[in-house]
Amino acid sequence: NGLPGEVNAASSSEIKDQLDKLEEENEKIEAELEALKGQFSENLDEMKAVVQQKDTVDQEIALLYQQTENLNTQLSAYSLLIADKQDELNLAQERLDTLNEQNKARIRAMEEDGVVSYWSVLFKATSFADLLSRIDFINEVMEYNQTVIADLRAVRAQLAESRTQLEE
């Protein structure tokens, strides 16, 4: 009688031991699964952080691209301004050269014809009407000389201003 019960008991206890071992193993597996879930959650959080960093870097790149485009546009605008100022400078220089040549030609003509004083022009008047006419002529010559001098000064000033602006 004892033998079959012992076999059953021994097999039951073996089965219980196996079940205990399997339950322990199952608990270990569950603990490992929980640890993996934790790691997965951590990895997911890290991955989200990396994606956010990538998005931030992408936005920064887009802003840098926009800034580069803006600077290129500004550079083009400044190039146009420089070209305009260079044209103004060239025109002012041409105007100054023309006025200088005209002034030199007028002075040369006066030297070739001999310097005629205003007094001699006035003393050669044959009548009072001729004297008034000669005074008007002298006044016109003086006004013309003043205009030429003023033009030369204005063009020189414009030339200097254009050079300064171009350098800026």
Side-chain angles (χ1 to χ4, degrees):
N1 236 338
L3 271 183
E6 284 183 287
V7 172
N8 284 340
S11 66
S12 283
S13 83
E14 284 179 8
I15 292 173
K16 282 184 181 181
D17 286 344
Q18 284 180 348
L19 282 174
D20 288 342
K21 285 181 185 177
L22 289 174
E23 282 181 19
E24 284 178 20
E25 235 181 274
N26 191 33
E27 287 175 7
K28 286 180 185 177
I29 291 173
E30 281 183 21
E32 286 179 25
L33 279 173
E34 286 300 316
L36 285 176
K37 284 181 184 177
Q39 282 180 342
F40 177 77
S41 179
E42 287 176 21
N43 288 344
L44 187 62
D45 290 343
E46 286 178 24
M47 190 171 75
K48 285 179 184 177
V50 168
V51 168
Q52 286 176 343
Q53 286 177 344
K54 181 196 172 291
D55 289 344
T56 302
V57 169
D58 287 345
Q59 289 174 355
E60 187 176 352
I61 288 170
L63 289 174
L64 288 172
Y65 178 76
Q66 288 176 352
Q67 186 179 31
T68 302
E69 288 297 314
N70 181 294
L71 290 173
N72 284 336
T73 303
Q74 287 181 30
L75 183 61
S76 296
Y78 279 121
S79 294
L80 290 174
L81 284 176
I82 289 170
D84 286 347
K85 286 297 169 190
Q86 186 64 50
D87 289 345
E88 283 180 26
L89 182 66
N90 292 342
L91 288 173
Q93 186 65 51
E94 287 174 16
R95 177 83 172 124
L96 181 63
D97 292 345
T98 301
L99 288 174
N100 278 333
E101 288 303 316
Q102 288 173 352
N103 198 29
K104 286 179 187 177
R106 190 170 63 60
I107 292 171
R108 193 175 308 117
M110 288 173 55
E111 287 175 352
E112 289 173 2
D113 292 343
V115 177
V116 179
S117 72
Y118 295 124
W119 292 110
S120 65
V121 170
L122 292 176
F123 288 134
K124 290 182 182 178
T126 55
S127 68
F128 186 69
D130 188 30
L131 177 65
L132 291 177
S133 174
R134 288 174 183 260
I135 289 174
D136 284 341
F137 173 72
I138 290 172
N139 282 335
E140 287 176 16
V141 169
M142 287 175 43
E143 285 176 18
Y144 176 74
N145 286 343
Q146 291 300 321
T147 302
V148 168
I149 290 170
D151 284 349
L152 283 171
R153 285 182 181 152
V155 169
R156 282 186 183 133
Q158 182 185 4
L159 186 61
E161 183 181 336
S162 292
R163 281 188 181 141
T164 302
Q165 289 176 352
L166 183 61
E167 287 172 1
E168 287 175 4

